[in-house]
């Protein structure tokens, strides 16, 4: 016979205001298997917990039910309470009589009390069959993988490496830096991104604990928290980076010029190229789609000029494998594809450019040295129209979300334009101006007052070319008037979208994404840097549009999560997981198919299901799917569920 | 191919040239447009008032006429009719309750409407069933050297749910005109509104808008405008009288229905084109390009 104690909490009046807690305790003290029952005003308070401890010791209880709020609130509290006096924590159960009873039945105390008693009875029945479980302990490989070398990935890598743990940083481009390195200057302080980011890039390049794998992509991921196995593809660069000294002679001698992705197609690069002068690593790659040798079979000028014989036209992709304990995904963003947008003449008129192109045009180290010559004819534009929310906040056509940084960078770009062309005029069409950051509103005021940026609240209806002008028609919704501006250049603040290929990567990592492809955090408020997959963390614009300060803060947050994981030698995992009765299992494989975490497999030899305890998240899908009843969830066994149902339906 | 045809009021009066040239061209391309018996006015303006079902009786009644012919499609020529019929059709397809009410209002009809009719514009038939390639093959007099500016106006394109092409960057008229050999002029005003029925009470507004639209096309080198709506036609063609009074430097430009040029290019008898009904006489232009007087 069990020796169970029941503790009914008043939760002030939250429960006691509706449920007759004394009556519930009285009824429960006569219930089979229960040898003690009482009520108390706040069970979670110190006196409440002390009372539980004393009763458990005095009455030699072998299990307790706390009838209180939802187990998501205080299950851990009470399990720790009983564990502190030597009772197995899994012999403590919570009966939720607040969220599931008192709060929803405030108008009928009698029924509420009756239901509360039933909930407690059912929980007692479950407890009777609960096993004493021990958390699993899993060893941890104390090395982290960071995917994406933008400012978020850089920050996370440095934080972890500076704490003494090894980091593998995988970046798909030939240099780290991400979009930040393309920017002109950064709001709200107008410091140059190179000045603040390149020291960190150099640190990454030289850090003894960081293994930087540029021009590489994650190919396969297996394993689980603490024990991931990652296969990484090092893309073929046709340059032996170990030999290459980064002298740049090959680039100088290469005869081919193509539009540069880094300069957003506003300037040219060579077929063998680095992204920008401060690149880390500062090693070139050959773009085989445009290289004369690959397309026409001749040239090899780079090879001839390389004194250390680093060029290797025979090079192939290579693969390396790494064991890591935690993964941070910091794959950043892209701007929405111009092919998607029909309005505004983007892609049709050269002088209609997007936000990143404007950054390049305004960048002091950019293709025009910061003087905003317009792309079509190199003239200095005297009237520039900025259009915000292009593709953002437009649920009917494109994306419903706010891209968050465009309001701010539009101020910055209009300001920089005015600094370069003081007699020019900058107009901004906006829906709202969202300046919600430290120093942001002041930045806007400065733009309006000192630089005389003209803000027009309304949407643009039409953009078309008339001679060498770009005509912009729009509405000023504050005066109700139609506005027509003959502009020289138009800048579109296009929506930010997740970087290309992130969906595929997310599948490999078993990460959830929202409907637009941004990675989903475990909890929007309380677990913003964790993913739902244990051991995988998120940083930067891969999770949602963000600016640099936010991306960096989240990266440090993700790094600290990794460090707290690495601070233990083993990782403890909930024992409430699926377990197979091998005698009963027929090997149908239903559980294997249904498991969202790839935690179940069929044993090759015995042909029965086998649960990988480290991967199992205890969702219970497999036990529901199992036709033979062989797969059961620890402490949520079929018999337990039936006993609970019986308790509810007996009356 | 036979298909039910809804002419609409204007096509029988002011825009007779539109109808004659369309029927003749269609039949040359193997399409028999069978005029609906007992058709009535399309309703003219699609009513945006939600509690105003009576205005949907006219268009839906016409669709009942189509159903009676045991056809499941109806073709229109006028953009306005196309818009009104198609939009009313969409409304009742999506709102069962309104459809039931309309059927009850028309309880003396022999058949009930159930949303089964497809409303099409002749341009869609030319594009999707005949195909512009096929038309190009049948062209006898390619309109080489004729610089034409397509004009869509509003009702073929907006709202996008019922438009027959991309509301922002339509190409159907351009593709059509290229298939009959014309040189197509791009200009930004091709989807601007002509001011529509303001022509009744606010002539000044129409004159201004029409002037902007026509001048933009002329500045891009257009020698003629091509459209598919008698009301746009009235505003852009007939109103050139008032435009000239207001803007003395306005030179004028002929305005065609797309079917007039189709008939011409297919080498049909010039009479079906009804050029004498055009306000700005296009015959001099066509002659100067050696496009008329050949057959
Ligand atoms: C026009 C414009 C102007 C801006 N101006 C400012 C400003 O003034 N101030 C400010 O605070 N913010 C500004 N921002 C925002 C800023 O760009 C972002 O906050 C910041 O770049 C986010 O950094 P990140 O590391 O998260 O992403 P990213 O910079 O996008 O870096 C992601 C990195 O991951 C790599 N990557 C992507 N996918 C993979 C993969 N599958 N495998 C490996 N590597 C991968 C990419 O190559 C890239 O290097 C601006 C944004 C725009 C669009
Ligand atoms: S010439 Fe050789 S060493 Fe110099 S950058 Fe090119 S590949 Fe590297
Ligand atoms: S940040 Fe500003 S411009 Fe960008 S989508 Fe949000 S509101 Fe629009």
């Amino acid at each position: 016979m069990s020796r169970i104690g029941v503790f009914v909490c008043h939760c002030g009046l939250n429960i006691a205001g509706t449920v007759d807690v004394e009556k519930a305790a009285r009824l429960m003290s006569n219930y089979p298997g229960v040898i003690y029952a009482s009520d108390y005003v706040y069970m979670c308070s110190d006196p409440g917990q002390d009372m539980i401890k004393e009763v458990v010791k005095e009455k030699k209880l072998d299990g307790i039910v706390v009838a209180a709020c939802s187990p998501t609130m205080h299950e851990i509290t009470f399990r720790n309470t009983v564990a502190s006096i030597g009772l197995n924590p899994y012999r403590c159960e919570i009966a939720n009589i607040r969220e599931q009873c008192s709060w929803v039945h405030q108008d009928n105390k009698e029924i509420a009390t009756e239901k509360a008693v039933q909930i407690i009875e059912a929980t007692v029945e479950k407890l009777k069959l609960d096993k004493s479980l021990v958390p699993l302990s899993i060893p941890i490989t104390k090395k982290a993988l960071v995917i994406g070398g933008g400012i978020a990935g850089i920050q996370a890598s440095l934080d972890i490496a500076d704490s003494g743990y090894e980091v593998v940083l995988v970046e798909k481009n030939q240099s780290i830096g991400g979009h930040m390195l393309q920017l002109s200057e950064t709001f709200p302080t107008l410091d140059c991104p190179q000045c603040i980011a390149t020291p960190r890039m150099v640190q990454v390049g030289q850090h003894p604990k960081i293994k930087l794998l540029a021009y590489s992509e994650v190919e396969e991921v297996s394993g689980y928290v603490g024990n991931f196995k990652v296969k990484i593809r090092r893309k073929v660069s046709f340059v032996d980076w170990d030999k290459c000294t980064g002298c740049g002679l090959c680039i100088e001698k290469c005869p081919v010029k193509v539009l540069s992705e880094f300069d957003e197609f506003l300037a040219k690069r060579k077929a063998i190229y680095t992204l920008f002068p401060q690149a880390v690593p500062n090693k070139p790659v050959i773009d085989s789609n445009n290289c004369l040798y690959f397309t026409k079979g001749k040239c090899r000028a780079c090879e001839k000029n390389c004194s250390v014989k680093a060029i290797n036209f025979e090079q192939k992709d290579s693969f390396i494998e790494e064991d890591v304990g935690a993964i941070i995904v910091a794959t950043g963003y892209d701007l929405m594809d111009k092919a998607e947008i029909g309005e505004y003449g983007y892609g049709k008129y050269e002088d209609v450019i997007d936000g990143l192109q404007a950054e390049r045009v305004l960048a002091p180290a950019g293709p025009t040295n910061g003087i905003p010559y317009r792309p079509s004819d190199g003239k200095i534009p005297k009237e520039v129209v900025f259009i915000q929310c292009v593709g953002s906040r437009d649920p009917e056509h494109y994306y419903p979300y706010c891209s968050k940084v465009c309001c701010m960078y539009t101020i910055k770009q209009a300001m920089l334009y005015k600094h370069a062309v003081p007699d020019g005029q900058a107009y901004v069409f906006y829906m709202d101006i969202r300046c919600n950051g430290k120093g942001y509103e002041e930045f806007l005021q400065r733009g309006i007052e000192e630089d005389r940026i003209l803000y027009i609240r309304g949407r643009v209806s039409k953009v078309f070319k008339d001679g060498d002008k770009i005509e912009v028609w729009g509405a000023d919704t504050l005066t109700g008037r139609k506005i027509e501006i003959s502009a020289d250049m138009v800048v579109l603040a296009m929506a930010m979208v997740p970087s290309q290929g992130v969906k595929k990567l997310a599948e490999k990592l078993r990460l959830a994404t929202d409907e637009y492809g941004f990675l989903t955090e475990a909890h929007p408020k309380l677990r913003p840097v964790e993913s739902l997959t244990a051991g995988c963390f998120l940083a930067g614009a891969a999770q949602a549009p963000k600016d640099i300060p936010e991306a960096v803060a989240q990266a440090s947050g993700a790094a600290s999560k990794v460090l707290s994981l690495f601070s233990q030698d083993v990782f403890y995992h909930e024992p409430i997981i699926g377990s197979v009765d091998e005698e009963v299992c027929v090997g149908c494989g239903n559980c294997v198919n249904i498991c969202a975490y790839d935690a179940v497999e069929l044993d090759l030899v015995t042909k029965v299901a086998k649960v990988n305890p480290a991967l199992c998240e205890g969702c219970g899908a497999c036990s529901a799917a199992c036709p033979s009843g062989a797969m059961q969830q620890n402490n949520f066994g079929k018999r337990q569920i039936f006993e609970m149902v019986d308790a509810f339906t007996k009356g | 191919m036979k298909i039910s045809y809804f002419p609409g009021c204007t096509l029988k009066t002011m825009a007779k040239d539109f109808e004659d040239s369309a029927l003749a061209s269609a039949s040359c391309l193997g399409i028999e447009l069978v005029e609906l018996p007992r058709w009535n006015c399309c309703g003219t303006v699609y009513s945006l008032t939600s509690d105003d079902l009576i205005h949907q009786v006219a268009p839906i009644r016409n669709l009942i006429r189509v159903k009676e012919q045991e056809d499941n499609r109806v073709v229109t020529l006028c953009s306005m009719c196309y818009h009104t019929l198609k939009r009313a059709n969409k409304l009742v397809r999506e709102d069962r309750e309104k459809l039931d009410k309309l059927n009850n209002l028309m309880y003396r009809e022999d058949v009930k409407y159930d949303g089964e009719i497809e409303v099409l514009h002749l341009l869609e038939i030319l594009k999707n069933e005949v195909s512009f390639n096929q038309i190009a093959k049948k062209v006898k007099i390619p309109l080489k050297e004729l610089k034409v500016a397509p004009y869509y106006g509003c009702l073929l394109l907006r709202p996008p749910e019922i438009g027959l092409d991309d509301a922002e960057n339509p190409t159907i008229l351009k593709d059509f005109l290229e298939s009959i050999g014309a040189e197509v002029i791009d200009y930004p005003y091709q989807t601007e509104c002509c001011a529509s029925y303001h022509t009744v009470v606010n002539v000044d507004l129409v004159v201004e808008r029409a002037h902007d639209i026509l001048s933009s096309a002329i500045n891009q080198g257009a020698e003629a405008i091509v459209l598919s709506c008698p009301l746009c036609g009235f505003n852009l063609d007939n109103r050139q009288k008032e435009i000239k009074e207001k803007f003395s430097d306005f030179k004028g430009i002929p305005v065609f229905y797309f079917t007039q040029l189709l008939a011409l290019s297919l080498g049909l008898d010039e009479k079906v084109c009804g050029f004498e009904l055009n306000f700005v006489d296009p015959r001099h232009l066509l002659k100067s390009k050696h496009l008329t007087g050949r057959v």
Side-chain angles (χ1 to χ4, degrees):
Chain A
M1 196 60 184
S2 1
R3 300 182 62 80
I4 290 174
V6 173
F7 300 87
V8 186
C9 182
H10 299 197
C11 194
L13 285 179
N14 270 307
I15 295 170
T18 305
V19 171
D20 183 342
V21 282
E22 280 161 34
K23 181 174 170 193
R26 205 167 54 239
L27 290 175
M28 284 315 297
S29 59
N30 296 323
Y31 194 77
V34 174
I35 60 164
Y36 176 90
S38 69
D39 58 281
Y40 185 69
V41 59
Y42 288 113
M43 280 296 170
C44 59
S45 66
D46 279 350
Q49 294 187 53
D50 289 343
M51 178 183 96
I52 293 176
K53 284 190 217 168
E54 258 155 51
V55 176
V56 170
K57 277 192 273 190
E58 191 190 309
K59 305 274 178 196
K60 300 199 169 46
L61 299 181
D62 65 4
I64 67 162
V65 170
V66 184
C69 52
S70 158
T72 58
M73 311 287 297
H74 276 305
E75 187 178 73
I76 293 193
T77 312
F78 294 117
R79 287 195 166 164
N80 287 341
T81 309
V82 297
S84 72
I85 49 157
L87 187 63
N88 183 287
Y90 296 90
R91 297 283 305 160
C92 164
E93 287 285 353
I94 306 292
N96 180 355
I97 59 166
R98 191 177 76 173
E99 285 81 348
Q100 290 177 357
C101 186
S102 69
W103 279 0
V104 285
H105 300 296
Q106 283 171 359
D107 48 349
N108 195 329
K109 296 192 177 177
E110 215 162 290
I111 286 182
T113 307
E114 206 175 299
K115 178 171 166 184
V117 171
Q118 281 186 338
I119 293 174
I120 302 170
E121 287 175 355
T123 314
V124 169
E125 290 305 330
K126 175 177 189 294
L127 174 63
K128 284 180 184 169
L129 294 169
D130 273 348
K131 294 188 207 102
S132 295
L133 300 174
V134 184
L136 302 151
S137 59
I138 300 158
I140 294 171
T141 309
K142 296 186 183 183
K143 188 197 241 186
L145 169 72
V146 176
I147 308 174
I151 193 61
I154 291 174
Q155 182 68 36
S157 302
L158 286 174
D159 282 358
I160 298 170
D162 285 345
S163 308
Y165 298 105
E166 283 181 55
V167 176
V168 179
L169 172 55
V170 173
E171 164 58 54
K172 74 172 171 193
N173 282 337
Q174 59 264 54
S175 169
I176 54 172
H179 285 106
M180 183 170 170
L181 266 285
Q182 289 180 290
L183 304 182
S184 51
E185 290 175 11
T186 53
F187 61 75
T189 43
L190 294 189
D191 33 16
C192 102
Q194 286 78 17
C195 314
I196 54 180
T198 49
R200 305 228 165 168
M201 290 165 58
V202 172
Q203 260 178 294
V204 167
Q206 297 175 343
H207 206 295
K209 293 279 183 191
I210 298 180
K211 180 165 174 183
L212 173 54
L213 300 177
Y215 217 49
S216 301
E217 272 174 55
V218 170
E219 191 77 8
E220 276 172 33
V221 184
S222 60
Y224 44 87
V225 53
N227 300 276
F228 293 105
K229 263 201 180 342
V230 192
K231 188 171 166 195
I232 298 157
R233 185 160 63 93
R234 307 218 63 184
K235 296 188 284 186
V236 52
S237 64
F238 304 107
V239 177
D240 183 340
W241 283 7
D242 292 333
K243 288 187 191 159
C244 170
T245 60
C247 71
L249 203 59
C250 52
I251 302 174
E252 207 183 302
K253 300 290 177 189
C254 175
V256 182
K257 283 187 174 175
V258 288
L259 290 175
S260 147
E261 297 83 358
F262 183 79
D263 281 321
E264 295 294 334
F265 308 100
L266 295 172
K268 301 236 164 128
R269 61 156 168 87
K270 298 293 184 68
I272 182 165
Y273 68 113
T274 58
L275 286 189
F276 47 89
Q278 311 94 322
V280 172
N282 191 18
K283 310 284 165 102
V285 305
I286 295 180
D287 161 10
S288 59
N289 292 327
N290 288 299
C291 164
L292 277 185
Y293 175 67
F294 283 106
T295 53
K296 302 231 165 68
K298 49 176 193 238
C299 180
R300 303 180 86 132
C302 50
E303 191 182 39
K304 281 172 215 143
N305 286 288
C306 178
S307 56
V308 294
K309 307 221 170 317
I311 308 285
N312 174 6
F313 290 105
E314 309 300 320
Q315 203 186 52
K316 298 266 174 313
D317 281 1
S318 60
F319 295 90
I320 52 175
E321 293 206 353
E322 290 282 349
D323 291 328
V324 297
I327 301 177
I328 294 181
V329 189
T331 45
Y333 69 95
D334 281 331
L335 290 188
M336 167 186 170
D337 187 1
K338 70 171 169 228
E340 273 186 73
I341 202 138
E343 302 102 303
Y344 307 134
Y346 181 45
K348 193 162 155 195
Y349 310 128
E350 271 183 278
D351 295 326
V352 178
I353 61 176
D354 70 20
L356 280 173
Q357 288 180 314
E359 292 292 333
R360 294 314 294 152
V361 169
L362 293 163
T368 58
N369 296 323
I371 300 166
Y373 301 117
R374 67 177 195 175
S376 65
D377 53 9
K379 280 194 201 144
I380 291 189
K382 284 293 160 69
E383 311 254 324
V384 179
V385 173
F386 294 84
I387 307 176
Q388 291 192 176
C389 296
V390 177
S392 307
R393 306 177 67 197
D394 189 353
E396 237 177 273
H397 303 100
Y398 308 106
Y399 304 103
Y401 55 82
C402 167
S403 292
K404 204 167 179 191
V405 297
C406 347
C407 284
M408 288 305 298
Y409 74 62
T410 299
I411 307 172
K412 171 188 75 178
Q413 291 174 351
M415 227 181 223
L416 292 177
Y417 162 72
K418 285 287 292 185
H419 295 172
V421 188
D423 63 338
Q425 182 59 57
Y427 305 88
V428 179
F429 279 93
Y430 71 99
M431 299 213 279
D432 300 284
I433 313 176
R434 301 184 163 173
C435 299
N436 43 5
K438 192 170 173 181
Y440 287 12
E441 175 64 20
E442 297 90 315
F443 190 63
L444 169 68
Q445 292 311 326
R446 190 174 134 197
I448 294 174
E449 284 163 19
E450 287 177 23
D451 297 304
R452 309 239 162 239
I453 305 170
L454 200 66
Y455 273 84
I456 304 165
R457 184 181 176 280
R459 301 297 292 159
V460 165
S461 65
K462 205 179 181 85
V463 172
F464 60 91
K465 201 160 171 162
D466 194 5
D468 75 341
K469 291 280 183 186
I470 308 268
E471 297 294 327
V472 180
W473 289 0
D476 179 343
T477 52
L478 296 182
T479 60
R481 287 235 289 276
K482 188 180 171 196
I483 305 267
E484 297 186 15
I485 299 171
S486 292
D488 298 307
M489 192 162 89
V490 174
V491 180
L492 307 180
M494 304 272 281
M496 281 163 97
V497 296
S499 65
Q500 239 193 342
V502 136
K503 271 233 149 94
K504 267 205 189 130
L505 179 70
E507 275 167 28
K508 287 178 194 161
L509 291 164
R510 297 188 301 268
L511 296 181
T513 56
D514 66 16
E515 57 183 310
Y516 314 104
F518 287 112
L519 300 171
T520 310
E521 61 286 346
H523 187 282
K525 289 160 208 153
L526 301 179
R527 296 172 68 196
V529 306
E530 289 155 84
S531 75
L532 277 170
T533 306
C536 287
F537 305 92
L538 316 175
Q543 182 238 347
K546 331 190 145 60
D547 57 21
I548 297 165
E550 265 190 290
V552 169
Q554 195 187 18
S556 286
S560 83
K561 285 282 166 194
V562 170
L563 294 177
S564 83
L565 181 67
F566 287 179
S567 69
Q568 312 150 20
D569 291 323
V570 290
F571 170 73
Y572 292 101
H573 188 63
E574 267 289 308
I576 309 276
I577 55 173
S579 81
V580 192
D581 185 339
E582 296 189 2
E583 307 280 296
V584 181
C585 175
V586 294
C588 70
N590 276 3
C591 48
V592 179
N593 296 333
I594 204 155
C595 180
Y597 305 92
D598 289 342
V600 199
E601 54 183 15
L602 284 189
D603 191 289
L604 289 176
V605 185
T606 58
K607 302 274 186 280
V608 296
K610 208 170 82 184
V611 178
N612 181 333
L615 281 182
C616 176
E617 291 287 334
C619 72
C622 53
S623 39
C626 177
S628 67
M631 182 69 88
Q632 308 245 342
Q633 182 93 333
N634 283 343
N635 283 358
F636 284 92
K638 279 215 160 52
R639 260 207 61 209
Q640 285 175 289
I641 307 281
F642 284 134
E643 294 293 346
M644 293 177 80
V645 173
D646 281 349
F648 276 117
T649 51
K650 66 172 194 284
Chain B
M1 174 177 43
K2 267 193 191 181
I3 176 162
S4 293
Y5 157 58
F6 173 83
C9 315
T10 327
L11 277 275
K12 293 292 179 190
T13 51
M14 279 195 62
K16 197 74 186 109
D17 45 347
F18 194 2
E19 171 166 65
D20 289 348
S21 55
L23 295 181
S25 307
S27 110
C28 173
L29 294 169
I31 308 163
E32 191 186 336
L33 296 179
V34 188
E35 183 171 327
L36 283 179
R38 293 169 60 219
W39 57 268
N40 51 256
C41 166
C42 69
T44 319
V45 179
Y46 178 83
S47 172
L48 289 172
T49 318
S50 54
D51 185 16
D52 189 20
L53 218 47
I54 199 71
H55 273 105
Q56 311 303 343
V57 170
I60 299 302
R61 188 172 174 277
N62 283 316
L63 299 183
I64 290 179
R65 292 288 94 82
V66 183
K67 196 170 168 180
E68 283 168 354
Q69 299 309 300
E70 299 190 344
D71 200 347
N72 54 4
R73 308 193 297 174
V74 61
V75 171
T76 65
L77 297 177
C78 160
S79 309
M80 182 80 90
C81 301
Y82 168 74
H83 177 90
T84 314
L85 295 181
K86 190 162 178 191
R87 208 159 170 191
N89 200 26
K90 178 168 159 35
L91 176 83
V92 300
R93 280 176 170 187
E94 288 169 4
D95 192 334
R96 192 76 231 177
E97 206 176 308
K98 288 198 167 132
L99 177 61
D100 289 344
K101 265 193 196 151
L102 281 168
N103 275 322
N104 289 340
L105 276 173
M106 293 184 272
Y107 64 94
R108 289 172 73 176
E109 294 291 348
D110 293 333
V111 297
K112 280 198 179 314
Y113 186 56
D114 201 22
E116 55 275 83
I117 306 298
E118 209 62 58
V119 178
L120 296 166
H121 190 272
L122 182 61
L123 276 171
E124 291 176 290
I125 299 282
L126 296 182
K127 178 180 171 188
N128 301 325
E129 318 235 339
V130 183
S131 97
F132 292 152
N133 278 340
Q134 217 41 46
I135 294 178
K137 282 186 199 150
K138 299 219 168 154
V139 164
K140 293 220 174 78
I141 309 174
L143 307 186
K144 267 193 298 215
E145 286 167 33
L146 187 65
K147 298 197 179 83
V148 293
Y151 176 74
Y152 294 87
C154 312
L155 300 177
L156 285 182
L157 303 173
R158 292 190 284 264
E161 304 86 76
I162 62 147
L164 55 66
D165 201 350
D166 186 321
E168 298 293 340
N169 299 306
T171 59
I172 189 166
L173 271 174
K174 168 173 172 281
D175 297 340
F176 161 74
L177 289 166
E178 280 171 355
S179 78
I180 58 171
E183 187 178 323
V184 181
I185 300 294
D186 187 18
Y187 68 114
Y189 284 74
Q190 47 191 307
T191 59
E192 283 302 308
C193 176
C194 69
S196 182
Y197 276 112
H198 284 293
T199 206
V200 182
V201 288
N202 194 346
V203 179
D204 272 352
L205 176 72
V206 175
V207 165
E208 244 169 65
R209 292 209 61 87
H211 170 259
D212 287 355
I213 295 167
L214 298 173
S215 310
S216 165
I218 292 169
N219 288 342
Q220 298 302 319
E223 296 165 323
I225 304 283
V226 179
L227 43 69
S228 84
C229 173
L231 180 56
C232 302
F234 182 83
N235 286 347
L236 296 190
D237 191 6
N238 300 50
R239 287 290 179 218
Q240 287 191 32
K241 175 166 172 280
E242 288 83 1
I243 297 177
K244 279 190 178 139
E245 284 163 13
K246 186 160 179 184
F247 301 92
S248 53
D249 57 342
F250 181 75
K251 293 190 294 288
I253 181 169
V255 178
F256 293 107
Y257 292 112
F258 70 97
T259 52
Q260 288 181 297
L261 293 186
L262 177 60
L264 185 68
S265 70
L266 291 172
L268 302 181
D269 186 346
E270 236 174 87
K271 269 187 245 151
V272 303
C273 298
F275 291 131
E276 66 284 356
L277 284 179
N278 289 44
F279 180 80
V280 177
D281 196 329
R283 282 171 287 197
H284 178 70
L285 169 71
L286 296 174
K287 201 160 179 194
S288 75
K289 301 275 176 183
H290 312 290
L291 296 173
T292 48
R294 294 184 13 169
V295 262

